[in-house]
Amino acid sequence: MNILVTGGSGFIGSNLCRRLLDEGHYVLCLDNNYTGRMENIQELLTNDHFSFILADVCDSLKDRPELKTQALHLDQIYNLACPASPPAYQGLHAIETTKTCVLGAINVLELALAHGATVLQASTSEVYGDPLVHPQHEGYRGNVNPNGIRACYDEGKRCAESLFFDYARHLGAKIKVIRIFNTYGPFMDPKDGRVVSNFICQALRGEDLTVYGQGEQTRSFCFVDDLIAGMVAMMNSDPEFLGPVNLGNPQEFTIAQLAQQVLEMIPSGAKLVFKDLPQDDPRCRKPDISLAKSKLGWQPHIKLTEGLQRSIPYFAQRLRDDGVQLKAVF
């Protein structure tokens, strides 16, 4: 098939491109490289089944020469285009994040209609906000602060979901919607700002690990290979099943437990330091994946220890490439 991956040079997108190429598909990767990196897809550029398009989903896509129906027929589109890094969307780029969620969704949906392609929206567990229901199931409508510092991402993704379902109801778009819970693994940016990359890189540099609050808030960490398997399963599921469906690892850890696990695996002499909890930081996050199990036959298999073992060497090499002197050897 001909498959477009928007946000394809980012963390999850580049891992998805590899999986699709391994399956023998022709993959078009579209990204503006705001949070994506060409280094993530460098070795793919020599693959005859892969091509890269430097573009922004906030601009119209269906009229781009590379994406016109006369040039090729797209069978599937994965829409992953959006900053997911808290430093990226909580700072000066908050407005751009909302635009990417909303205008990007419209442009991707219009492109999908033009090609008759099935389009998958990568939504997020952030649509549940600071949840009052635990674990979170797809029927829960969330507890989101609509004007807080995270709202550009949380509400942007909620609006994107609304657009997807309205395009399906009123225009016949062929859609799939997933909600991604905390994911980690190779090709994640060391400066991403999320807790797994923060802890690993701090430990490798010999710095103390920064824990917000008392580290009692919980998260469920899914290794990227498991997530990609769920995404592909959802894309190729029964056309009548639109979602949304949670994709994540239901094994729950406190942030303090994660920090201790990293310190055990990276013996650099670092310790924990505690700082004030950020605004609107969710107290708990755990997916109910009953729907994914029943509809997709999917569940994660890679435990946290194994996933960290497979991630730490990647971060160590990235830091070395950036000229960082590591305190721990990997």
Side-chain angles (χ1 to χ4, degrees):
M1 290 185 289
N2 294 321
I3 302 177
L4 173 68
V5 180
T6 70
S9 65
F11 159 47
I12 294 175
S14 60
N15 279 284
L16 175 61
C17 287
R18 286 174 174 80
R19 166 67 184 259
L20 297 174
L21 288 169
D22 287 345
E23 293 182 352
H25 301 297
Y26 291 86
V27 177
L28 291 85
C29 167
L30 185 147
D31 209 307
N32 65 357
N33 286 338
Y34 167 50
T35 55
R37 301 172 69 251
M38 289 305 295
E39 290 87 344
N40 288 347
I41 57 170
Q42 195 63 47
E43 82 278 12
L44 305 183
L45 297 173
T46 59
N47 190 320
D48 291 339
H49 286 197
F50 181 83
S51 60
F52 175 74
I53 302 170
L54 181 64
D56 191 327
V57 294
C58 290
D59 301 324
S60 177
L61 299 177
K62 64 181 182 180
D63 295 324
R64 286 192 65 92
E66 313 97 314
L67 299 175
K68 280 184 173 291
T69 53
Q70 297 91 331
L72 84 164
H73 170 72
L74 291 174
D75 300 289
Q76 296 179 345
I77 302 171
Y78 289 82
N79 184 33
L80 279 67
C82 185
S85 162
Y89 67 70
Q90 290 181 15
L92 296 175
H93 301 284
I95 295 171
E96 287 79 1
T97 297
T98 303
K99 286 182 176 180
T100 300
C101 289
V102 178
L103 298 178
I106 292 171
N107 288 330
V108 168
L109 284 161
E110 291 290 339
L111 179 67
L113 285 176
H115 285 261
T118 301
V119 55
L120 181 145
Q121 167 66 7
S123 189
T124 171
S125 61
E126 296 295 334
V127 301
Y128 299 122
D130 187 7
L132 304 177
V133 169
H134 193 72
Q136 294 80 59
H137 57 83
E138 291 85 354
Y140 176 53
R141 296 180 182 177
N143 178 39
V144 174
N145 178 355
N147 48 40
I149 60 172
R150 304 169 71 99
C152 59
Y153 185 68
D154 302 0
E155 296 287 30
K157 289 288 191 176
R158 286 161 69 95
C159 185
E161 285 196 22
S162 175
L163 284 163
F164 265 70
F165 282 96
D166 279 338
Y167 264 73
R169 278 188 287 261
H170 301 296
L171 298 176
K174 297 184 288 187
I175 70 162
K176 302 283 184 177
V177 177
I178 61 171
R179 291 174 177 166
I180 298 174
F181 282 67
N182 294 65
T183 303
Y184 69 99
F187 299 101
M188 198 174 193
D189 190 336
K191 299 175 183 176
D192 181 83
R194 284 177 279 192
V195 66
V196 173
S197 53
N198 280 354
F199 283 172
I200 291 176
C201 292
Q202 285 177 325
L204 288 170
R205 292 191 296 259
E207 300 171 357
D208 293 336
L209 274 60
T210 305
V211 176
Y212 294 99
Q214 295 303 307
E216 297 173 350
Q217 64 271 43
T218 67
R219 297 292 186 270
S220 304
F221 302 104
C222 185
F223 189 67
V224 66
D225 288 3
D226 278 334
L227 172 69
I228 297 301
M231 294 175 69
V232 172
M234 179 58 172
M235 175 63 91
N236 295 291
S237 64
D238 185 334
E240 298 300 315
F241 179 55
L242 310 184
V245 61
N246 291 336
L247 295 181
N249 193 322
Q251 189 173 11
E252 192 174 18
F253 297 88
T254 67
I255 297 300
Q257 286 175 323
L258 172 66
Q260 291 294 345
Q261 179 73 67
V262 170
L263 289 179
E264 289 175 12
M265 300 178 73
I266 306 176
S268 62
K271 60 182 185 298
L272 306 186
V273 294
F274 297 87
K275 295 188 177 182
D276 292 340
L277 200 64
Q279 179 186 347
D280 298 329
D281 191 60
R283 292 165 295 171
C284 58
R285 190 61 61 74
K286 175 183 177 179
D288 180 333
I289 62 169
S290 303
L291 192 61
K293 286 181 177 179
S294 64
K295 293 290 189 179
L296 308 179
W298 175 88
Q299 62 182 340
H301 298 288
I302 299 170
K303 297 186 181 301
L304 180 62
T305 301
E306 179 187 350
L308 291 174
Q309 288 172 340
R310 293 168 62 176
S311 302
I312 291 170
Y314 163 77
F315 285 106
Q317 187 58 54
R318 277 290 309 274
L319 291 177
R320 287 193 201 97
D321 291 344
D322 292 339
V324 176
Q325 184 69 38
L326 304 186
K327 298 296 184 181
V329 178
F330 283 88

